[in-house]
Amino acid sequence: MDVISFNDVNITLSKRPILSRLSFDIKENRFIGLLGPNGSGKTTLFKTILGLVTPDTGTVSIFGLPAKKGNPIIGYIPQFRTTAYNLRLCGWDYIASAVNGHKFGLPLINAITHQEIAHFINLVQATNLAHRPLSSLSGGERQRLLLAQALIGKPSLLLLDEPLTNLDPGNQQSMISLIREIQQELGITVLLSAHELNPLLPVMDEVLYLGHGQAVLGQVNEVINSAILSKLYGSKIEVVQVNNQIFVMSENINIEHNAHQHGEA
Amino acid sequence: MGKPDLFAYDFMINAFIAGGIVAVMAAIVGFFLVMREQTFAGHALSHIGFAGATGSVLLGASPMSGMILITLCGGATIGALGEKVSGRDVAIGMVLSIALGFGILFLHFYTAYATQINTLLFGNILGVSYSMLWTLASLAIISLTLLSIVSRPLIFVSLQPELAEAKGVSSKFMGIIFLTIVAFATSGCIQIVGVLFVFTLMIGPAAAAQQISTRLLSGISLAVLFALSETWGGLALSYLTNWPSSFWIATLSGSVYLISLTTKYFLNHK
Ligand SMILES: Nc1ncnc2c1ncn2[C@@H]1O[C@H](COP(=O)(O)OP(=O)(O)OP(=O)(O)O)[C@@H](O)[C@H]1O
Ligand SMILES: [Mg+2]
């Protein structure tokens, strides 16, 4: 069964067309890189899968069922996190706050859930971090805790919206390999958005590239080529491959590099 | 020849009971206010309560009823404006000033009441009647029951609004519910420490607890412990010195906060 299936989906936000005529199917047990310039609709695509944005036309199915709000099958790390990182609350309680967080009642946690939280914190190698206050953790350390949190409840699909921003290259690498390991160990599907292609090359099964309201899904060499990207960017794009690194160039400017800097600004 | 025993008088016993009820309520509600970084909204609600109290006296009703009514409306309004209203500190500050202005205006029209302005502004824990005890207990039961019903989604949405929204928790709805809970707690606090000192009871203990504890439940328990000892300690000191109880409560609250800051410093640098 397809994990995510878009069928002729059109999305407009405040009367602006954002994504048009999207059709693609994502198979089980895949690591998919979601790429595209700023404003190409990556976050909007995540929100559509989460049922937070409703398409104007077309259908979105998650494991064969229509996308719906609060879907327990999906684990999610949002792109923007206005969390109070100056809080002295420890990582453990921060993570635990999401467990059944949509249900009324006292924030009490039973022994089984307690074990589950401990298990996933251990899986992301954050056992030693969980008891430190959030305010004392580095960006990469927090990111690992958020990954653990997204895994609680054993989702079959993980949506990670730019989990690599603000990480240095070394930490990006270890975060990506950690996500890949977990994805394979648990046999789940991961959709991870990023601005840079190269760090994802060793782990991606497929790439979903957005641009000009369109989307193309496929193997890296099927998608990252001059013909497809020129169409998605609406301008002449050249793809240069050097030492297993791919550079996407527009008039001799490295597009991704600029996009990344833009994203950090 | 010293003073008679602390508990020799009924009004003293009432004061301890009232102070205990309000301290527990204020500490728990305040813990969430500090966690949500909405302490200023709590501060504003108490000033809005002042206008409600004086206004309702002018209309011939009890100050408490006006206070509860208007803080409820104020809380719901601030909550409905939502966190995304930019410059909300300025907006809340303006509402606060206007409310104080109206409070003064109502007092102006009802000059006979002017003697009681002290009570409203600085509290009157020693003047708690038996029926007021019941009012305070009801306020505490209502606010803490509501809070325990919504606490889980409230914590979730406070700590991780984007994720909570994705899981179907409305941050606006939670914001409104929470500030109505704060409104009940504020009305109770005003009776004990007065409009001007609500901060000491609602924010002081909770902020101190969050400096020291990194856990949710132990943090809340610590806040309750601080609030109780500050209130009861303040009462006892006030009895011994004949100085106003609000002075002592504020001083103790400030000292505990200072101590918590130094404790945190040493915890971090040991
Ligand atoms: N609520 C909204 N109303 C109107 N337009 C919106 C809304 N949300 C997003 N958009 C627009 O939709 C487009 C896609 O936005 P989206 O956030 O999905 O892009 P993105 O690919 O995630 O970008 P980034 O890489 O910067 O995160 C942008 O042009 C944005 O301005
Ligand atoms: Mg985005």
Side-chain angles (χ1 to χ4, degrees):
Chain A
M1 187 194 292
D2 292 328
V3 177
I4 304 172
S5 174
F6 273 58
N7 192 358
D8 206 15
V9 171
N10 285 290
I11 294 165
T12 54
L13 293 174
S14 323
K15 299 204 175 116
R16 284 178 52 212
I18 308 292
L19 296 167
S20 36
R21 310 211 56 181
L22 295 197
S23 289
F24 59 83
D25 300 309
I26 291 176
K27 303 263 175 296
E28 266 174 296
N29 212 344
R30 296 287 157 91
F31 190 118
I32 315 272
L34 176 60
L35 293 162
N38 286 123
S40 57
K42 301 181 293 294
T43 300
T44 306
L45 190 83
F46 281 136
K47 290 192 169 162
T48 312
I49 296 168
L50 287 162
L52 300 173
V53 167
T54 316
D56 300 277
T57 56
T59 52
V60 177
S61 319
I62 312 300
F63 288 97
L65 298 170
K68 60 165 202 271
K69 239 187 190 180
N71 195 336
I73 276 177
I74 306 177
Y76 175 47
I77 303 187
Q79 176 179 11
F80 298 107
R81 293 173 285 270
T82 52
T83 34
Y85 280 143
N86 46 350
L87 277 190
R88 291 196 24 89
L89 194 70
C90 68
W92 175 284
D93 282 354
Y94 183 75
I95 288 182
S97 73
V99 178
N100 288 330
H102 57 288
K103 290 188 191 150
F104 285 124
L106 292 170
L108 301 174
I109 279 171
N110 62 27
I112 297 169
T113 317
H114 195 274
Q115 268 180 5
E116 195 188 348
I117 298 173
H119 170 74
F120 286 116
I121 287 179
N122 187 37
L123 199 64
V124 301
Q125 299 145 25
T127 307
N128 294 329
L129 305 174
H131 293 286
R132 281 174 43 195
L134 271 183
S135 55
S136 76
L137 298 179
S138 78
E141 291 167 339
R142 273 176 212 149
Q143 210 66 279
R144 271 192 276 157
L145 284 174
L146 291 175
L147 181 61
Q149 177 172 66
L151 290 167
I152 296 168
K154 305 198 173 62
S156 317
L157 169 63
L158 265 193
L159 304 180
L160 311 177
D161 200 352
E162 306 207 10
L164 307 177
T165 31
N166 299 326
L167 300 190
D168 59 38
N171 269 303
Q172 286 195 2
Q173 260 332 311
S174 50
M175 187 73 186
I176 290 172
S177 12
L178 178 66
I179 295 171
R180 175 61 159 179
E181 255 170 54
I182 290 172
Q183 180 257 325
Q184 293 189 319
E185 191 178 324
L186 304 180
I188 59 179
T189 297
V190 169
L191 190 55
L192 180 152
S193 73
H195 277 287
E196 279 182 286
L197 169 68
N198 287 309
L200 297 176
L201 283 178
V203 300
M204 265 194 304
D205 296 311
E206 280 178 307
V207 60
L208 179 61
Y209 214 110
L210 300 187
H212 263 208
Q214 314 283 306
V216 181
L217 175 72
Q219 303 286 322
V220 172
N221 56 1
E222 293 169 355
V223 178
I224 312 291
N225 56 51
S226 179
I228 297 275
L229 292 188
S230 294
K231 209 181 96 202
L232 288 177
Y233 277 90
S235 62
K236 183 87 190 88
I237 300 287
E238 275 179 84
V239 175
V240 185
Q241 196 158 354
V242 187
N243 292 340
N244 292 329
Q245 299 260 318
I246 300 178
F247 299 96
V248 179
M249 316 285 287
S250 167
E251 288 169 3
N252 293 328
I253 294 170
N254 187 337
I255 285 180
E256 286 183 343
H257 193 62
N258 284 342
H260 183 63
Q261 286 184 335
H262 186 87
E264 278 183 343
Chain B
M1 166 86 194
K3 291 193 174 207
D5 185 60
L6 192 57
F7 296 109
Y9 300 107
D10 271 353
F11 74 86
M12 237 7 207
I13 295 173
N14 279 1
F16 268 85
I17 297 174
I21 293 171
V22 170
V24 171
M25 165 172 72
I28 297 176
V29 174
F31 189 90
F32 287 83
L33 263 180
V34 174
M35 189 173 77
R36 290 172 59 82
E37 299 185 318
Q38 278 186 319
T39 55
F40 192 55
H43 186 65
L45 277 184
S46 67
H47 288 69
I48 296 173
F50 175 66
T54 53
S56 84
V57 169
L58 194 61
L59 295 175
S62 77
M64 187 56 118
S65 58
M67 198 149 70
I68 294 175
L69 192 71
I70 201 164
T71 49
L72 276 179
C73 296
T77 311
I78 298 174
L81 289 176
E83 276 119 76
K84 282 180 188 134
V85 178
S86 58
R88 81 197 146 111
D89 279 1
V90 176
I92 293 174
M94 289 314 296
V95 173
L96 181 158
S97 313
I98 294 170
L100 263 186
F102 272 99
I104 294 295
L105 181 72
F106 296 151
L107 278 175
H108 171 77
F109 286 131
Y110 195 85
T111 41
Y113 189 66
T115 46
Q116 287 189 43
I117 187 175
N118 263 334
T119 308
L120 265 181
L121 290 181
F122 303 105
N124 184 15
I125 192 171
L126 297 180
V128 173
S129 64
Y130 196 67
S131 71
M132 179 54 82
L133 273 188
W134 282 108
T135 309
L136 293 176
S138 320
L139 282 176
I141 289 170
I142 294 172
S143 63
L144 292 182
T145 308
L146 273 175
L147 192 60
S148 58
I149 293 173
V150 299
S151 57
R152 189 159 47 196
L154 180 66
I155 292 169
F156 188 25
V157 85
S158 308
L159 295 178
Q160 312 186 66
E162 294 84 7
L163 188 62
E165 203 82 42
K167 297 276 177 194
V169 184
S170 157
S171 61
K172 183 161 282 184
F173 175 73
M174 280 300 151
I176 295 173
I177 297 277
F178 176 61
L179 284 179
T180 55
I181 293 171
V182 176
F184 286 119
T186 308
S187 304
C189 279
I190 291 177
Q191 181 62 38
I192 301 303
V193 285
V195 168
L196 297 179
F197 287 97
V198 165
F199 217 77
T200 61
L201 218 49
M202 203 120 91
I203 307 302
Q210 287 184 28
Q211 293 298 328
I212 296 174
S213 171
T214 62
R215 302 306 305 260
L216 208 58
L217 293 182
S218 64
I220 293 176
S221 320
L222 208 55
V224 170
L225 191 75
F226 287 158
L228 275 178
S229 34
E230 286 160 19
T231 311
W232 286 341
L235 262 176
L237 285 168
S238 148
Y239 183 78
L240 289 176
T241 56
N242 274 332
W243 295 0
S245 56
S246 290
F247 161 78
W248 281 118
I249 296 175
T251 307
L252 287 177
S253 171
S255 313
V256 168
Y257 183 67
L258 266 182
I259 293 169
S260 78
L261 284 183
T262 30
T263 310
K264 178 184 109 182
Y265 182 84
F266 284 113
L267 285 178
N268 284 347
H269 291 82
K270 72 174 174 211

